[in-house]
């Protein structure tokens, strides 16, 4: 019997967007400044174009200005860098986001390093990641997806301190920063990746699992300790003849099985996904507040 609480990322994200809308208008009225987010998209990947469109819609919905640079696939690195430098110098832009992945002929590291850390709302600049990893240092921004995972735990009153947490996946954008964040929150953290032996024995020890792998239904009920909390970041298309699109999206975690054994689970879609964009808006707002010294 399903007993887990469903962690409703969609409604938490809505609540956060409402809070941001109120803050954006308070700021506009008080000092006449509107937060602005610039997005750089290179090439014509469909999924990337969708993410960029969703980000723009989200900005509109909370009153944040959005700027977009869409460059052709065969652009040079120099052209991308020129746009970054323009946005770096533009006082109307408080956040700059380079939609990943970049075309393979570009050096991702060089491009991400060019974003001024004061505008690095994705939190991917090595200085921000480095500060995230260090005790007693504060990053200016924390990467949006892992931040959204932690925010869900906070808003559901799930304590992290002293808990045993397992992160599955170690990517720069999700797994690694998620592990750093959990550690900052005083969890004892283990990271599982593709070379880990017996991952299920490790995940079975966890009070909290954050999974960011990209493998549909990899985490089975037998991988989960009774009463654990499951945050499923995975977004994986699987064939579905009954769906009009011919596919549907599932997480890394077998949702039906998790619901029977965990105490709380995020669904896919409607869990972490909506939180990512909410955190991007939140980072853009705090960037604007910081540059204006507006409390
Ligand atoms: P990456 O492909 O960059 O990283 C996947 C990680 O999973 C790697 O560290 C890899 O290990 C590990 N891994 C792969 N196979 C296994 C396995 N069999 N067992 C254990 N670990 C494994 O993916 P991302 O981090 O970018 O994304 C992960 C998932 O999250 C995807 O489904 C993506 O769509 C989704 N996502 C969702 C977002 C949201 O807003 N909700 C945002 C970003 C991503 P190794 O390092 O050894 O290769």
């Amino acid at each position: 019997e399903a007993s887990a609480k469903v962690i409703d990322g969609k409604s938490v994200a809505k609540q956060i967007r409402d809070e941001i809308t109120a803050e954006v208008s308070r700021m506009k009225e008080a000092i006449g400044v509107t937060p602005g987010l610039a997005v750089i998209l290179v090439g014509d990947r469909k999924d990337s174009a969708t993410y960029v469109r969703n980000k723009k819609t989200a900005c509109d919905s909370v009153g944040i200005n959005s700027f977009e640079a869409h460059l052709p696939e065969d652009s040079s690195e120099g052209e991308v860098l020129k746009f970054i430098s323009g946005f770096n110098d533009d006082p109307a832009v408080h956040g700059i986001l380079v939609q990943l992945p970049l075309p393979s002929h570009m050096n991702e590291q060089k491009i991400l390093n060019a974003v001024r850390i004061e505008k690095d709302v994705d939190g991917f600049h090595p200085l921000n990641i480095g500060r995230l990893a260090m005790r007693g240092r504060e990053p200016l921004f924390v990467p949006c997806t892992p931040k959204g995972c932690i925010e869900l735990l906070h808003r559901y009153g799930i304590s992290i301190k002293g808990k045993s947490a397992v992160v599955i996946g170690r990517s720069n954008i999700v797994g690694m920063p998620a592990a750093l964040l959990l550690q900052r929150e005083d969890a004892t953290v283990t990271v599982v990746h593709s070379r880990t032996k017996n991952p299920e024995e490790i995940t079975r020890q966890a009070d909290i699992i954050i999974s960011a792998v990209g493998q549909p239904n990899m985490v089975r009920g037998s991988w989960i300790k009774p009463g654990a909390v499951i945050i499923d970041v995975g977004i994986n298309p699987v064939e579905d003849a009954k769906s009009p699109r011919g596919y549907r999206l599932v997480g890394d975690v077998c949702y039906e099985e998790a619901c029977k054994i965990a105490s709380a689970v995020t669904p896919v879609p409607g869990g972490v996904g909506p939180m990512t964009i909410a955190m991007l808006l939140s980072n853009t707002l705090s960037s604007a507040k910081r540059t204006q010294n507006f409390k």
Side-chain angles (χ1 to χ4, degrees), residues 51 144-146 168-176 191-196 199 211-215 218 223 232-237 250-252 271-277:
Y51 294 140
C144 300
T145 300
I168 320 178
R170 56 175 166 180
S171 70
N172 288 342
I173 65 171
V174 193
M176 178 267 288
V191 176
V192 165
H193 49 74
S194 70
R195 304 303 161 100
T196 303
S211 182
V213 174
Q215 299 276 348
M218 182 183 89
W223 291 40
D232 189 353
V233 181
I235 301 178
N236 309 301
V250 302
D252 294 339
V272 176
M275 291 297 288
T276 298
I277 291 192

Side-chain angles (χ1 to χ4, degrees), residues 12 15 30 39 45 66 87 89 92 109 125 146 162 205 231 237 248 261 287 295:
V12 174
Q15 190 183 328
V39 180
R45 277 179 68 116
S66 60
F87 289 138
D89 295 338
Q109 187 172 334
H125 193 288
Q205 312 295 319
I231 306 291
R248 71 197 152 89
I261 184 155
S287 178
K295 302 265 186 292

Side-chain angles (χ1 to χ4, degrees), residues 28 32 37 42-43 46 54 93 98 138 189-190 246 272 277:
K28 266 185 219 174
L37 174 70
V42 188
K46 254 192 171 163
N54 291 344
V93 171
V98 181
E138 288 300 324
V189 183
T190 307
V272 176
I277 291 192

Side-chain angles (χ1 to χ4, degrees), residues 55-285:
K55 285 164 190 172
K56 182 177 188 316
T57 309
C59 283
D60 292 346
S61 79
V62 299
I64 290 179
N65 288 334
S66 60
F67 306 87
E68 195 192 320
H70 189 176
L71 283 72
E73 177 81 25
D74 60 359
S75 307
S76 69
E77 231 168 65
E79 283 167 305
V80 180
L81 291 171
K82 214 161 59 197
F83 274 96
I84 292 179
S85 139
F87 289 138
N88 275 342
D89 295 338
D90 185 344
V93 171
H94 304 95
I96 302 171
L97 180 154
V98 181
Q99 185 63 47
L100 301 176
L102 287 163
S104 54
H105 66 276
M106 288 188 189
N107 182 338
E108 179 187 292
Q109 187 172 334
K110 189 167 164 197
I111 286 171
L112 293 184
N113 285 1
V115 175
R116 271 182 62 183
I117 59 161
E118 292 83 3
K119 300 191 179 189
D120 175 38
V121 284
D122 254 342
F124 293 158
H125 193 288
L127 264 174
N128 275 323
I129 295 281
R131 289 181 184 176
L132 183 66
M134 292 170 82
R135 285 184 72 84
R137 305 292 162 85
E138 288 300 324
L140 294 171
F141 302 100
V142 172
C144 300
T145 300
K147 187 178 179 184
C149 297
I150 302 297
E151 189 68 26
L152 281 177
L153 295 173
H154 286 163
R155 297 220 178 201
Y156 272 81
I158 296 162
S159 73
I160 304 174
K161 191 175 186 161
K163 295 288 172 62
S164 152
V166 171
V167 178
I168 320 178
R170 56 175 166 180
S171 70
N172 288 342
I173 65 171
V174 193
M176 178 267 288
L180 294 175
L181 266 178
L182 285 165
Q183 186 161 281
R184 277 178 97 90
E185 299 267 336
D186 293 326
T188 301
V189 183
T190 307
V191 176
V192 165
H193 49 74
S194 70
R195 304 303 161 100
T196 303
K197 294 193 174 107
N198 307 324
E200 64 272 32
E201 278 171 29
I202 296 167
T203 57
R204 257 201 306 271
Q205 312 295 319
D207 302 312
I208 298 169
I209 297 176
I210 296 184
S211 182
V213 174
Q215 299 276 348
N217 301 322
M218 182 183 89
V219 177
R220 307 295 306 260
S222 61
W223 291 40
I224 299 170
K225 173 162 104 175
V229 173
I230 313 296
I231 306 291
D232 189 353
V233 181
I235 301 178
N236 309 301
V238 294
E239 267 184 46
D240 182 0
K242 278 179 286 178
S243 153
R245 293 178 298 184
Y247 71 94
R248 71 197 152 89
L249 298 175
V250 302
D252 294 339
V253 178
C254 183
Y255 185 72
E256 291 71 27
E257 293 180 9
C259 281
K260 289 181 190 149
I261 184 155
S263 63
V265 187
T266 60
V268 177
V272 176
M275 291 297 288
T276 298
I277 291 192
M279 293 299 105
L280 175 66
L281 301 173
S282 159
N283 281 352
T284 305
L285 171 64

